[in-house]
Amino acid sequence: MRQRRETASAASEGSISGEASEKFSDGTEIRTAVRIGNPRRSSFVWLALLLIIIYCCSSIYHYQFQSMPVPLTAEEAGKRGFSEIEAFKHVKALTEVGPHPVGSEALHLAVQYVLTACQNIKKTALWEVDVEVDIFHAKSGANNLASGLLSGRTLVYSDLNHVVVRILPKYVSEAGEQSILVSSHIDTVFSTAGAGDCSSCVGVMLELARGVSQWAHGLKRAVIFLFNTGEEEGLNGAHSFITQHPWSKTVRMAIDLEAMGIGGKSSIFQAGPHPWAIENYALAAKYPSGQVIAQDVFASGAIKSATDFQVYKEVAGLSGLDFAYVDNTAVYHTKNDKLELLKTGSLQHLGENMLAFLLHIGASSHIPEGNSTEAEEDIIKNSAIYFDILGMYMVVYRQKFANILHNSVVMQSLLIWTTSLIMGGIPAAVSLALSFLGVLLMWIFALSFSFLVAFLLPLISSSPVPYVSSPLLVVGLFGAPAFLGALIGQHLGFLLLQKYLLNAHSKRRQLPPIIKADVVKMEAERWLFKAGSFQWLILLILGNYFKIGSSYLALVWLVSPAFAYGFFEATLTSGRLPKPLKLITLLLGLATPILFSAGIFIRLAATLIGGMVRFDRNPGGTPEWLGGFVIAAFIASLLSLTLVYLLSYVHLSGAKKAIILATLMLFTSSLTIVLSGIIPPFSENTARAVNVVHVVDATGKPDEGQNPKSYLSLFSTTPGNLNKEVEQINESFVCGRDKTVDFVTFLVKYGCWTYNDTINGWSEMDIPTMHVLSDAKGNGRITEVSIDTKGSIRWVLAINTEEIEDFELKDARDSEELISVGKKNGVDGWHIIQFSGGKNAPKLFDLTLYWRSGSTHNSDAPILKLRTDVDRVTPITERVLKKLPRWCSLFGKSTSPYTLSFLRNLHLNF
């Protein structure tokens, strides 16, 4: 039998020493000296480390997304180069036309400008190059997309004009058989001149066409530039080209240029389905920019938008690339999408990338066919994972390789964890569970603290989204509480883990109390660090299972810290006492993850904040705190995921109090700025999105003998009330949730009305009509309805799909079938028809309704709901628009009404 006795002596500088003794039954005694590293970590070092990481993240973001190439003049670029200065001239000319929506005289002027520019390119093209310019007039058509934002709608168009340019080498006879399509749209929404969306794209395309016309003699295939109209009304321009233009049959790849903001780097946010395009872009582009995480976010539906690329994929079965400008996304479709905010170098960046890419693939001997005939499983296996590093290099690999790589890492990680737990026994398993509990507590506290702020902010602030004009306020308002919550949550886990480890060590080899306490702290610190790897391992497993492209981020955040830990900290000697984690472990472990993801995360946050301007798609339909909750959830989740390693170093330092104090000061100062109004929620360049609509409501039932009701409606897609705006306008507006308007495509649940001078500017002759021509109730009920839009060439019609099984729509002038009989899907019991067209578009229609068998229609619900829009400003609307505060802007989208709208319903009884 033996007895053990341990004593501790004073710690020398940087370490703590002690003596452990073991006494055996024969009277002999063995004394062992024990020395461990000092667990205390300098608070100054930790704070300096935090500041360095923040600075690095900011620098990476600015270098990756804000660093632009130098704009070139025509002389500097040469005939075969790309000049931003020349492209900018086109952008300037198009914006000077003003807003140019479909059907407007301004759009005609814009199309004529593009046509003239293309004809000049033809005149100056290299003699070995053919340039064909076609002004394409699209006849009526219907676009019924199966997925995405436009699902459940039929988009009908008529009388659209596009400019199409085909450039090909003269002496390559087969060049026209396989073409590369580059596409963007000339038209804008009614609320903006569209410097970003998408005059910037058109300007780049015109300069690209000029450059390609000097190079195309060396190409093996044609390049088609499509300058379409009708995109803003539901992707109609792309659909009409694909279904009607003869050149569309030769297209093998589609490249779409878009904007969801203005300027910055135009990045790829959709690629595929075939990876050939993105693989070659990565090889050719001078400043490659693209992130698969943006593709994942867009595909999830989190961003309520659609682009022409959807038509090229779904309707034509093409593969390709979709580019977009996303800087200053808050200005999207508002007055602030203007030339002054277009960042210098933006056009040069996209132009140089695109020119190099087009010349590279144009000279390729083979372009693969689209994936329309491949099985979905094969498409997923061959889909591309892609991301750029600092905008200098692009990494591309296929999902098939990602599966192998991810599975390998997952299996090795699970093997290491299993071996570690078997060797460590029950104490190791409990320690892992408690350390992971610390991670869960991080999430709970971080989300709770930030959610609390998001909930209280609308109650105490003048706006539920006071950070839109100054996004950095989000750091203090949501980042600081989330950081504090994450620290508190992990520290609670640290304390629980420390308590358990003290108990576990007391049952094993005895150590002097002073040494035991410090050993436990250092062991707890290590477990918290390793729990971070375990968290990312779970995310990698889930991402790999669901084939999420952005799972590579989980791979990087797992492998790099785990490798650093294994290299600098791990030991094969189970009896060795733990030491404090080395700073080099943290620095090297986080270097690669920060390099790969810091810029992306900041860009996503900026995009999310800018999107708050148009967050409420049904104005007043969501709680005021919901937008803040979305941002709070994103910030808290991001910090909980990425700070798990860094915060594990805090608990042994003296920096906790300083960190908490600094965090509270940051939050308090940000809140003070918001409450004091030093920085207003909106500004002239970052405006609140509003709509001013003169509504003529003729939805009453005919037997009720109601006269049309006319009023001016003011509403906003930006969360918050309109009291301040109404006060400044001073036109007797009354606001409330009883001022609802059903605009067919959306419902205003909170708005403001005024009846001042609303009888002027329209007449009853403008009110659309719907007349029942016949209502046969034989074997199957069939109703024929005549619709007269009374001059409107932009209207929406909702058909009650709970009662109507099918329908067909014809142009009453010549009985041309616009929508044929066939399976129709709906959303929330309605199928929406959106119509837009040029000045010569039809205005009289025949609609045939096929009722469901056994239908028992409730007469209180209409069968049809119609809204017609007129591009006219009535006297009261003009007065209100002049008084509209400078921090407000009209907001347009395909579903938004113009400034004068007429509402009409059709009721049918049995």
Side-chain angles (χ1 to χ4, degrees), residues 156 769-774 782-789 795 797 799 806-821 824 833 835 842-850 864 866 906:
V156 185
T769 60
M770 291 188 288
H771 295 301
V772 177
L773 300 178
S774 67
I782 301 175
T783 303
E784 294 186 355
V785 181
S786 174
I787 300 175
D788 187 351
T789 63
W795 51 266
L797 178 71
I799 300 175
D806 206 348
F807 61 87
E808 61 180 339
L809 182 71
K810 293 182 179 180
D811 181 349
R813 298 176 304 180
D814 53 12
S815 296
E816 179 188 0
E817 188 177 68
L818 301 177
I819 303 177
S820 59
V821 173
K824 309 291 195 309
I833 301 174
F835 181 93
K843 304 170 185 68
L844 190 63
F845 304 88
D846 291 330
L847 176 67
T848 304
L849 304 174
Y850 300 92
L864 304 176
L866 175 65
L906 178 65

Side-chain angles (χ1 to χ4, degrees), residues 297 300 595 653 851:
V297 171
S300 72
L595 178 66
S653 74
W851 293 67

Side-chain angles (χ1 to χ4, degrees), residues 461-534:
S461 171
S462 61
S463 170
V465 286
Y467 37 78
V468 170
S469 66
S470 183
L472 282 177
L473 285 173
V474 167
V475 176
L477 292 174
F478 299 118
F483 181 88
L484 186 61
L487 176 59
I488 291 174
Q490 195 186 64
H491 191 66
L492 287 176
F494 175 79
L495 295 177
L496 290 172
L497 185 57
Q498 184 179 345
K499 183 177 180 180
Y500 169 76
L501 290 174
L502 276 172
N503 183 56
H505 275 281
S506 65
K507 296 178 182 179
R508 295 185 295 175
R509 178 186 176 189
Q510 296 295 318
L511 293 171
I514 187 173
I515 294 180
K516 182 193 297 183
D518 289 331
V519 166
V520 164
K521 290 178 182 178
M522 289 183 285
E523 190 172 347
E525 177 187 62
R526 287 168 171 260
W527 274 111
L528 290 177
F529 187 93
K530 290 188 287 186
S533 296
F534 195 74

Side-chain angles (χ1 to χ4, degrees), residues 7 29 47 141 179 200 220 283 415 549 587 598 816 866 872 875:
T7 60
E29 184 176 13
L47 291 173
S179 304
S200 59
K220 296 179 180 179
L283 292 172
L415 180 62
L587 290 173
E816 179 188 0
L866 175 65
R872 186 192 310 164

